[in-house]
Amino acid sequence: MSLPKRRKIRTFALLFCVITFTTFLFSYTFRDPSVYFFKHAFRLSDNFFSKGLCACQQCMTEVEDDPWFAERFNQSNHPLMTRENSVLSDETFKWWQWLQSERQPANFSDVVEELFQVIPDEVLYMDASPKRCRTCAVVGNSGNLKGAQYGSLIDHCDFIIRMNQGPTSGFEEDVGTRTTHRVMYPESAIDLDNTTSLVLIPFKTLDLQWIISALTTGTIKHTYTAVVSRIKANKDKVLIYSPTFLKYVYESWLEGHGRYPSTGFLSLMLAVHICDEVSVFGFGADQYGNWHHYWEENQLAGAFRHTGVHDGDHEYNVTLLLADKHKIQMFRGR
Ligand code: C5P
């Protein structure tokens, strides 16, 4: 082949490469769906394709990938209550009061005002950015954690969200040692150390009055059952789960299944909205089909699935779907 001909071919090849690459970058920038073909077909680096929404390998806020997730996930819903977002619509208030059939509630806005004189009124964790990679472990109380040896995996996360009575002491190898957040309600509350955030799920106005009382005077000792009158917790780290968010979880994610979502599902949804990467431990039955807690010897004790107010099966199926769609990573234990 003559020299000018070879040069021509080389120039043509170079031009072809430049045009292809520019077209590809252009379509990527303007969210051409063909990019998603490239992404999945060639399994190129997630970091490159995460569009800089966060600094992790996978970003929770990347919704374009999956219509099912995009239809349900609303990033503008804040999971935690502040003075500003505490005002409830009539519909939300009625629904919320119905959950545990509170008969003569105190004035909600007065209670909220009193509450934020005891605990801080701050917007927390809604700081998703290309620089943030917040990894979270949500640790449920399932017996499938027994012997699972997830301790160090859990302890490596930034946030470790536990719930209700789930202990770490004596179970460190399986469930880890650190707890950054503990999600509970008055009837399931336990004492915390100074570094852990207590996340209260209020199911009635009295629950908000209880946390005020438990951190100060200790006068409330009874809700629908006996409750601890005082709680050891760092007041500056107490957070309140928003009733509006609770309703959103129930309607958008559970589509009305059960009377209301379980602590575990609400904790998972908290993580989905404040974390970039979510790993889930201790949900579901163990290998023998038992739904007990990991600290219980009796496999029939504390059978979460049969509470009557939650739809454990449906919640578990939604959790599995999130895992199938690579939105969360599920560790199923033993
Ligand atoms: O029993 P408890 O409500 O304290 O457990 C916390 C959460 O852990 C539950 O709300 C549920 O989501 C999850 N769990 C589970 N399977 C079990 C026990 C608990 O999924 N066997």
Side-chain angles (χ1 to χ4, degrees):
M1 200 186 290
S2 67
L3 197 66
K5 213 172 191 180
R6 232 189 277 160
R7 256 196 210 141
K8 244 187 208 168
I9 291 176
R10 226 184 274 158
T11 319
F12 182 77
L14 191 73
L15 244 157
F16 179 77
C17 289
V18 170
I19 289 170
T20 312
F21 186 65
T22 324
T23 314
F24 178 73
L25 265 189
F26 187 84
S27 63
Y28 172 73
T29 312
F30 292 97
R31 304 186 173 195
D32 185 312
S34 62
V35 167
Y36 294 104
F37 166 76
F38 277 104
K39 178 177 170 180
H40 293 293
F42 300 114
R43 295 178 186 276
L44 291 171
S45 151
D46 271 332
N47 263 338
F48 180 72
F49 282 103
S50 68
K51 295 181 242 87
L53 291 176
C54 79
C56 300
Q57 286 252 309
Q58 290 265 312
C59 300
M60 190 62 74
T61 47
E62 191 179 328
V63 293
E64 289 92 342
D65 255 3
D66 189 89
W68 177 88
F69 183 79
E71 217 174 274
R72 286 157 180 80
F73 181 72
N74 185 345
Q75 211 193 342
S76 63
N77 280 346
H78 286 212
L80 301 169
M81 193 199 254
T82 58
R83 261 197 193 92
E84 202 183 329
N85 72 21
S86 70
V87 180
L88 307 183
S89 70
D90 282 352
E91 196 197 338
T92 302
F93 187 70
K94 263 193 208 135
W95 174 80
W96 183 67
Q97 285 294 150
W98 165 82
L99 299 181
Q100 292 189 350
S101 317
E102 189 174 27
R103 287 190 198 281
Q104 286 176 316
N107 181 289
F108 181 78
S109 48
D110 288 352
V111 174
V112 169
E113 188 44 47
E114 202 188 328
L115 174 71
F116 286 118
Q117 282 168 20
V118 177
I119 66 167
D121 174 19
E122 280 173 290
V123 178
L124 287 180
Y125 311 138
M126 305 307 281
D127 55 349
S129 91
K131 290 191 184 136
R132 188 187 86 174
C133 173
R134 178 177 295 143
T135 61
C136 299
V138 182
V139 188
N141 288 336
S142 167
N144 69 25
L145 285 172
K146 217 183 275 179
Q149 304 258 309
Y150 289 144
S152 68
L153 210 57
I154 292 173
D155 278 342
H156 272 97
C157 289
D158 298 320
F159 284 7
I160 297 162
I161 305 173
R162 300 187 197 273
M163 52 208 79
N164 300 336
Q165 318 258 332
T168 52
S169 173
F171 301 90
E172 292 84 351
E173 282 201 1
D174 292 334
V175 308
T177 58
R178 297 175 50 232
T179 307
T180 60
H181 297 77
R182 188 172 286 271
V183 182
M184 26 195 220
Y185 46 93
E187 296 80 10
S188 74
I190 57 167
D191 287 339
L192 303 182
D193 64 35
N194 221 31
T195 64
T196 304
S197 288
L198 187 166
V199 183
L200 177 83
I201 308 177
F203 292 107
K204 48 193 174 305
T205 308
L206 183 59
D207 294 352
L208 298 175
Q209 293 171 282
W210 170 81
I211 190 70
I212 300 169
S213 160
L215 294 168
T216 56
T217 56
T219 47
I220 299 181
K221 298 177 167 58
H222 200 274
T223 57
Y224 58 77
T225 184
V227 290
V228 291
S229 59
R230 286 185 188 275
I231 192 144
K232 260 194 221 145
N234 185 339
K235 262 192 227 178
D236 294 331
K237 284 184 165 281
V238 173
L239 308 169
I240 311 292
Y241 207 98
S242 153
T244 306
F245 191 82
L246 209 161
K247 188 163 182 277
Y248 149 72
V249 171
Y250 179 67
E251 288 175 348
S252 296
W253 290 94
L254 294 184
E255 293 168 333
H257 283 261
R259 188 172 171 98
Y260 53 88
S262 71
T263 318
F265 197 79
L266 289 170
S267 304
L268 173 62
M269 282 299 135
L270 168 70
V272 164
H273 288 75
I274 66 172
C275 306
D276 299 306
E277 270 183 14
V278 176
S279 303
V280 176
F281 305 84
F283 278 62
D286 70 1
Q287 57 185 317
Y288 307 108
N290 296 314
W291 285 75
H292 61 300
H293 295 133
Y294 61 84
W295 62 93
E296 286 166 346
E297 284 308 325
N298 177 0
Q299 316 250 293
L300 295 174
F304 147 79
R305 196 170 170 216
H306 303 292
T307 55
V309 285
H310 313 307
D311 188 338
D313 287 329
H314 188 75
E315 290 190 0
Y316 191 67
N317 289 339
V318 176
T319 309
L320 287 182
L321 257 177
L322 280 165
D324 281 352
K325 291 167 183 298
H326 307 291
K327 282 296 167 189
I328 60 172
Q329 223 187 328
M330 187 96 173
F331 294 83
R332 298 198 199 193
R334 286 161 56 96

